[in-house]
Amino acid sequence: MSNEDNTDDVDEPPIPEEARAAAGGAEQSDFVEYGIEDKPPLLESIFLGFQHYLTMVGATIAIPLVLAGAMGMPADVTAKLIGTFFVVSGVATLAQTTLGNRYPLVQGGTFSMLAPALAIIGVIASSGGGWETMILELQGAVIVAGIAEIFIGYLGIMGWLKRHMGPIVIAPVIALIGLALFSVPQITSATQNWWLLGLTVLLIVLFSQYLNNYNRAFRLFPVLLALVAAWLVAAVLSFTGIYAAGTAGYINFDTVANADPILAIYPLQWGMPQFTGSFIIGMFAGMLASVIESFGDYHSVARMAGKGAPNAQRVNHGIGMEGIGNTFAGLMGTGNGSTSYTENVGAIGITGVASRYVVQIGAIVMLFVGFVGYFGQLVATIPNPIVGGLFLAMFGQIAAVGLSQLKFVDLDKNRNVFIIGIALFAGLAIPAYMGNVGGASAFQTGLAGEFPFTLLEGVEVAGVSPLGIIATTTFVIGSTGMAVGGIVAFVLDNTIPGTREERGLTTWEDITEDADDFKPFWERMGDGDDERPAPGGD
């Protein structure tokens, strides 16, 4: 079925300059304190970069803690795993910002690949395997998934798909990146310390919105100032005994004092990776969900920074570099992959700091402190209520940025409203269903009892169960809201008839970078030129 009617055969009138400026994001340029190409003073950049990394501390600490707990890792090994995440994040961020898409995006562990990792751990645990076996199997699966992502990126697959993705697809994907995280335990825990969480949110709002014009520090460092202030309050209450051990908000200083000064982190530190077909396929599904999330992040950060939408070449190089980051993460032994951090995008929205240089300085700092045991344990003392406050302030910002893409779409057309509505609802409802199922194995058991999947029960091809592949892939993608919403919106927007103008594709193409606005690193090295400012840039 065609997705366009006959009106597309008529040449469309040029877009007025005022509409072109609005589409390019002139209002975002006014908001941005430091643009992508700006280089603040070094000391200021160190603090700004550190702030960027603090916004994603929840994921950076949560993912290794979840993995270590599921695998039964000893405490000293867990500390080393956390340090490994920091080191991988630093290296992957430097690679992405220097050789990849060159957007100010922090790279790090991904929740999309956490689901298949936990499924793999469960299978190995049921057969009596220990954490040593688990981490080696995870390494092998992540390495292969990373290599596959390299091909997806550098073969131009995502760039080709981009031609069929307009605002109607991108808006739900970005919005769901923020909305899908509303239920994280750092916010919704039944034992939540709501006044500490509320204090964190209140301070972020106070510094970034009410006091931002009174002092430049409030405008540049609202997250850092809020986090430090809330942490000091929690530290005092913990030290004086008002907060008891085990309660939300309690800070255990002993973990820092007992930490190893230096951590030995190096490739293949756990041993040689192991490669199992079914595990690799599960991790591949998680990687696909991560790719969709990153695609949305690229458009989101461009919008935040007042830049035009990324062109196909920038998207391809970003995804390809994330594949290299995944492979590196597998070799280092995180047991998880590497992707663009949504929290980092939210930080840009709050602080107005979109400088690539700042993110690179922060990456260098994280790379070195990853080897310092004291630092990792100190960061791990940030209580969940404070992390939840950061999430509450930032994820809503991301959702709003996604919905702002709809300014390019004709919302008077029923087909557009229908697609956006069903994509958003499906992106929230289907992951909720998957969460109630109880895991990939439980989902597979349910499929086995339904026709036509009953025909595949007990069937194996080269030792691999086709039913297991279908179940694991469906479960992982179905558990990822932005993947579900993006797929639904993509299929409907490209099959339900509609003109390019009403779908927002005409304006979307106009604000997208020209082909030569992004140069691969080998071309930049060859002529010494940087990229030209993208349309709508500051």
Side-chain angles (χ1 to χ4, degrees), residues 128-151:
W131 72 264
E132 297 91 343
T133 301
M134 296 173 184
I135 192 67
L136 295 179
E137 288 284 6
L138 291 177
Q139 281 187 254
V142 170
I143 289 172
V144 176
I147 293 173
E149 188 173 10
I150 293 173
F151 282 103

Short mmCIF file of all heavy atoms in Angstrom, two decimals, residues 128-151:
data_model
loop_
_atom_site.label_atom_id
_atom_site.label_comp_id
_atom_site.label_asym_id
_atom_site.label_seq_id
_atom_site.Cartn_x
_atom_site.Cartn_y
_atom_site.Cartn_z
N GLY A 128 23.46 -24.81 37.47
CA GLY A 128 24.48 -24.87 38.51
C GLY A 128 25.75 -24.10 38.23
O GLY A 128 26.73 -24.23 38.97
N GLY A 129 25.76 -23.27 37.20
CA GLY A 129 26.96 -22.49 36.87
C GLY A 129 27.18 -21.34 37.83
O GLY A 129 26.21 -20.78 38.36
N GLY A 130 28.43 -20.96 38.05
CA GLY A 130 28.77 -19.87 38.94
C GLY A 130 28.95 -18.56 38.21
O GLY A 130 28.79 -18.48 36.98
N TRP A 131 29.29 -17.49 38.95
CA TRP A 131 29.41 -16.17 38.34
C TRP A 131 30.53 -16.13 37.30
O TRP A 131 30.45 -15.36 36.33
CB TRP A 131 29.61 -15.10 39.41
CG TRP A 131 30.96 -15.08 40.07
CD1 TRP A 131 31.32 -15.67 41.24
CD2 TRP A 131 32.14 -14.42 39.59
NE1 TRP A 131 32.63 -15.44 41.53
CE2 TRP A 131 33.17 -14.65 40.54
CE3 TRP A 131 32.44 -13.66 38.47
CZ2 TRP A 131 34.46 -14.15 40.39
CZ3 TRP A 131 33.73 -13.16 38.31
CH2 TRP A 131 34.73 -13.39 39.26
N GLU A 132 31.57 -16.94 37.48
CA GLU A 132 32.66 -16.94 36.52
C GLU A 132 32.18 -17.38 35.14
O GLU A 132 32.54 -16.80 34.11
CB GLU A 132 33.79 -17.87 36.99
CG GLU A 132 34.45 -17.43 38.29
CD GLU A 132 33.79 -18.06 39.51
OE1 GLU A 132 32.64 -18.55 39.37
OE2 GLU A 132 34.39 -18.04 40.60
N THR A 133 31.35 -18.43 35.11
CA THR A 133 30.79 -18.90 33.84
C THR A 133 29.83 -17.87 33.26
O THR A 133 29.83 -17.61 32.05
CB THR A 133 30.07 -20.23 34.04
OG1 THR A 133 30.98 -21.20 34.57
CG2 THR A 133 29.49 -20.74 32.73
N MET A 134 29.03 -17.27 34.13
CA MET A 134 28.03 -16.31 33.67
C MET A 134 28.66 -15.11 32.98
O MET A 134 28.24 -14.70 31.89
CB MET A 134 27.19 -15.83 34.86
CG MET A 134 26.36 -16.92 35.52
SD MET A 134 25.55 -16.32 37.03
CE MET A 134 24.78 -17.84 37.63
N ILE A 135 29.69 -14.54 33.60
CA ILE A 135 30.29 -13.33 33.03
C ILE A 135 30.99 -13.63 31.71
O ILE A 135 30.97 -12.81 30.77
CB ILE A 135 31.28 -12.68 34.04
CG1 ILE A 135 31.67 -11.27 33.58
CG2 ILE A 135 32.52 -13.54 34.23
CD1 ILE A 135 30.56 -10.28 33.61
N LEU A 136 31.56 -14.83 31.56
CA LEU A 136 32.21 -15.19 30.30
C LEU A 136 31.20 -15.38 29.18
O LEU A 136 31.44 -15.01 28.03
CB LEU A 136 33.05 -16.46 30.50
CG LEU A 136 34.24 -16.34 31.45
CD1 LEU A 136 34.97 -17.68 31.58
CD2 LEU A 136 35.22 -15.27 30.98
N GLU A 137 30.04 -15.98 29.51
CA GLU A 137 28.99 -16.13 28.51
C GLU A 137 28.42 -14.76 28.11
O GLU A 137 28.14 -14.52 26.93
CB GLU A 137 27.87 -17.03 29.05
CG GLU A 137 28.24 -18.49 29.16
CD GLU A 137 28.25 -19.20 27.81
OE1 GLU A 137 28.07 -18.53 26.77
OE2 GLU A 137 28.43 -20.43 27.79
N LEU A 138 28.26 -13.88 29.08
CA LEU A 138 27.78 -12.54 28.77
C LEU A 138 28.76 -11.80 27.88
O LEU A 138 28.37 -11.10 26.94
CB LEU A 138 27.55 -11.75 30.06
CG LEU A 138 26.38 -12.20 30.96
CD1 LEU A 138 26.34 -11.38 32.23
CD2 LEU A 138 25.05 -12.09 30.21
N GLN A 139 30.05 -11.95 28.17
CA GLN A 139 31.07 -11.32 27.33
C GLN A 139 30.95 -11.76 25.88
O GLN A 139 30.96 -10.93 24.96
CB GLN A 139 32.46 -11.68 27.85
CG GLN A 139 32.92 -10.88 29.05
CD GLN A 139 34.36 -11.18 29.38
OE1 GLN A 139 34.66 -11.87 30.35
NE2 GLN A 139 35.27 -10.65 28.58
N GLY A 140 30.86 -13.05 25.66
CA GLY A 140 30.76 -13.57 24.29
C GLY A 140 29.54 -13.05 23.57
O GLY A 140 29.63 -12.64 22.39
N ALA A 141 28.39 -13.03 24.25
CA ALA A 141 27.16 -12.56 23.63
C ALA A 141 27.25 -11.08 23.28
O ALA A 141 26.81 -10.65 22.20
CB ALA A 141 25.97 -12.82 24.56
N VAL A 142 27.83 -10.28 24.17
CA VAL A 142 27.94 -8.84 23.93
C VAL A 142 28.90 -8.56 22.78
O VAL A 142 28.65 -7.69 21.94
CB VAL A 142 28.41 -8.11 25.21
CG1 VAL A 142 28.79 -6.66 24.91
CG2 VAL A 142 27.33 -8.17 26.28
N ILE A 143 30.00 -9.30 22.70
CA ILE A 143 30.98 -9.10 21.62
C ILE A 143 30.34 -9.35 20.26
O ILE A 143 30.48 -8.54 19.33
CB ILE A 143 32.20 -10.02 21.82
CG1 ILE A 143 33.03 -9.54 23.02
CG2 ILE A 143 33.06 -10.06 20.56
CD1 ILE A 143 34.14 -10.50 23.41
N VAL A 144 29.62 -10.45 20.12
CA VAL A 144 29.00 -10.76 18.83
C VAL A 144 27.92 -9.74 18.49
O VAL A 144 27.81 -9.28 17.34
CB VAL A 144 28.41 -12.18 18.85
CG1 VAL A 144 27.67 -12.47 17.54
CG2 VAL A 144 29.51 -13.21 19.07
N ALA A 145 27.11 -9.35 19.49
CA ALA A 145 26.08 -8.33 19.26
C ALA A 145 26.73 -7.01 18.83
O ALA A 145 26.21 -6.30 17.95
CB ALA A 145 25.24 -8.12 20.52
N GLY A 146 27.87 -6.69 19.42
CA GLY A 146 28.58 -5.47 19.05
C GLY A 146 29.08 -5.51 17.61
O GLY A 146 28.98 -4.53 16.87
N ILE A 147 29.62 -6.65 17.22
CA ILE A 147 30.11 -6.79 15.84
C ILE A 147 28.95 -6.65 14.85
O ILE A 147 29.07 -6.00 13.81
CB ILE A 147 30.81 -8.15 15.66
CG1 ILE A 147 32.10 -8.18 16.50
CG2 ILE A 147 31.12 -8.42 14.19
CD1 ILE A 147 32.78 -9.53 16.53
N ALA A 148 27.79 -7.22 15.20
CA ALA A 148 26.61 -7.09 14.34
C ALA A 148 26.18 -5.63 14.23
O ALA A 148 25.79 -5.16 13.16
CB ALA A 148 25.47 -7.95 14.90
N GLU A 149 26.27 -4.89 15.35
CA GLU A 149 25.89 -3.48 15.32
C GLU A 149 26.86 -2.66 14.47
O GLU A 149 26.46 -1.67 13.83
CB GLU A 149 25.83 -2.92 16.74
CG GLU A 149 25.25 -1.52 16.81
CD GLU A 149 25.05 -1.03 18.23
OE1 GLU A 149 25.54 -1.70 19.17
OE2 GLU A 149 24.41 0.02 18.41
N ILE A 150 28.12 -3.04 14.48
CA ILE A 150 29.10 -2.36 13.60
C ILE A 150 28.66 -2.46 12.15
O ILE A 150 28.69 -1.48 11.40
CB ILE A 150 30.50 -2.97 13.79
CG1 ILE A 150 31.04 -2.66 15.19
CG2 ILE A 150 31.46 -2.44 12.73
CD1 ILE A 150 32.33 -3.37 15.52
N PHE A 151 28.24 -3.65 11.73
CA PHE A 151 27.78 -3.84 10.35
C PHE A 151 26.50 -3.06 10.08
O PHE A 151 26.33 -2.46 9.01
CB PHE A 151 27.56 -5.34 10.08
CG PHE A 151 28.84 -6.09 9.82
CD1 PHE A 151 29.39 -6.90 10.81
CD2 PHE A 151 29.49 -6.00 8.60
CE1 PHE A 151 30.57 -7.58 10.59
CE2 PHE A 151 30.67 -6.69 8.36
CZ PHE A 151 31.21 -7.48 9.36
#
